[in-house]
Amino acid sequence: MDLEPLLFNITAGLILGSIYGISTIGLSLIFGVMRIVNVGHGSFIMLGAYIAYWLFTLYGLVPLVSLAVAFTLGLALGMAIFYIMVRRFLGAPEISSLMAMFGLGVMLEEIAKQFWGIDYRGYSWYLGAIPYLGLRLQVTSILGAVLGLIAAIAIFLFLFKTGVGTSIRAVVQDPVGAYICGIDVHRIYSTSVGIGLGMTMLGGVLLTLYNPTGINPYMGQPYTLKAFVIAVLGGLGSPLGAYIGGLIFGLVESGVTYIFSQMGSPSPGSLALFLGFMLLIILLLAKPEGLMRR
């Protein structure tokens, strides 16, 4: 087996992993603050991808602009969803919020299907490619990974260096104690859901930099499954763990897919996903709380 193509695929895995990580931070943040599992996660990734697609094709706006638009819309949508739906499930059995988020995700998919159909769409934003280990890396993919890293650092600084971030961490530790200390817990909940969905939709925009031609209403379903694996791998509720888990999952997926393809496997992508789940099981046996959660 040639070493250079393997190293190239490992690098591509880190690039993809950075985008996976930023797409999962929102899921992990919402669970960490409210203990609500957003099983409709992939539908919000889909919305972010469509924002990038429509702004580019209709108005010629590059995805860098779409990042700000997607985050802002996700923030507003998340806060509205909290006050309209999520707050009604506070204190209810977890299955209630789980089913509600599942239904919301399906509803968003069907609305998108009615408006835009089920055909795959895409756009072309070519910034060139750089030679690397005998092959070429797309500049847009590298840009997506760098922006994912910047967004991960930004959310980390927000949580640990701002007053709102401190309030969020206080609510995570003890909602009743935070309320007694004067923190508006419902406002923190709504802000957390807003930031979580904002980051998720921002992740959808970044995914189009890596794969700009795979946009349809059901594109989010495989990302939901991967996001849960990544979030559990990193430690549910830990945004930093979600990003690191994304890097590991992307590395395993890309590297193992290449190795199995060189071995003549008929379905290397499926085997790579299987190995990712095996890695998760092994990790949970050794560290049930995940990599970064204490």
Side-chain angles (χ1 to χ4, degrees):
M1 184 182 300
D2 294 332
L3 184 59
E4 286 193 352
L6 177 61
L7 292 176
F8 180 87
N9 277 275
I10 288 174
T11 304
L14 288 174
I15 292 173
L16 180 60
S18 178
I19 300 174
Y20 279 164
I22 203 64
S23 302
T24 307
I25 282 179
L27 174 76
S28 195
L29 178 66
I30 293 172
F31 178 83
V33 176
M34 302 184 62
R35 292 295 186 270
I36 285 179
V37 180
N38 180 17
V39 290
H41 179 74
S43 296
F44 294 97
I45 289 179
M46 175 268 294
L47 290 181
Y50 268 110
I51 287 172
Y53 169 75
W54 286 118
L55 289 182
F56 188 87
T57 56
L58 294 180
Y59 304 107
L61 296 177
V62 298
L64 296 179
V65 177
S66 303
L67 290 172
V69 175
F71 180 81
T72 304
L73 287 177
L75 178 68
L77 186 61
M79 295 180 77
I81 288 173
F82 171 79
Y83 283 111
I84 293 172
M85 188 181 78
V86 174
R87 71 172 179 172
R88 301 177 190 279
F89 299 103
L90 295 176
E94 292 178 353
I95 189 67
S96 302
S97 59
L98 189 146
M99 294 306 298
M101 297 307 291
F102 175 76
L104 179 62
V106 172
M107 184 184 75
L108 290 175
E109 287 178 343
E110 295 307 310
I111 290 174
K113 185 180 76 173
Q114 293 302 317
F115 276 100
W116 304 314
I118 60 173
D119 294 334
Y120 279 94
R121 301 169 184 265
Y123 65 92
S124 177
W125 188 47
Y126 184 69
L127 296 178
I130 59 174
Y132 178 69
L133 295 173
L135 297 170
R136 296 178 72 80
L137 279 175
Q138 296 294 320
V139 173
T140 49
S141 298
I142 299 172
L143 181 62
V146 172
L147 291 172
L149 176 61
I150 292 172
I153 294 172
I155 195 69
F156 184 81
L157 292 176
F158 170 78
L159 289 174
F160 287 90
K161 299 294 182 182
T162 68
V164 177
T166 302
S167 297
I168 290 175
R169 289 187 290 117
V171 169
V172 170
Q173 290 183 2
D174 185 356
V176 176
Y179 175 77
I180 293 172
C181 291
I183 295 175
D184 186 337
V185 175
H186 276 196
R187 185 173 66 84
I188 293 300
Y189 282 160
S190 69
T191 303
S192 300
V193 176
I195 293 173
L197 294 189
M199 295 299 290
T200 303
M201 289 172 62
L202 183 149
V205 174
L206 292 181
L207 277 170
T208 66
L209 293 178
Y210 191 85
N211 178 20
T213 58
I215 301 169
N216 92 334
Y218 303 109
M219 62 167 285
Q221 293 177 359
Y223 292 115
T224 299
L225 180 62
K226 291 177 182 178
F228 275 107
V229 174
I230 292 167
V232 174
L233 188 66
L236 265 173
S238 168
L240 177 61
Y243 185 76
I244 293 174
L247 290 177
I248 295 173
F249 192 86
L251 193 65
V252 171
E253 184 180 65
S254 183
V256 173
T257 298
Y258 173 75
I259 292 172
F260 279 125
S261 66
Q262 293 300 300
M263 295 170 63
S265 169
S267 183
S270 299
L271 285 173
L273 190 60
F274 164 75
L275 206 66
F277 277 102
M278 288 300 297
L279 175 66
L280 174 65
I281 293 171
I282 293 170
L283 175 72
L284 291 180
L285 287 174
K287 193 172 172 55
E289 66 277 17
L291 286 174
M292 300 300 294
R293 190 173 174 82
R294 297 176 180 176

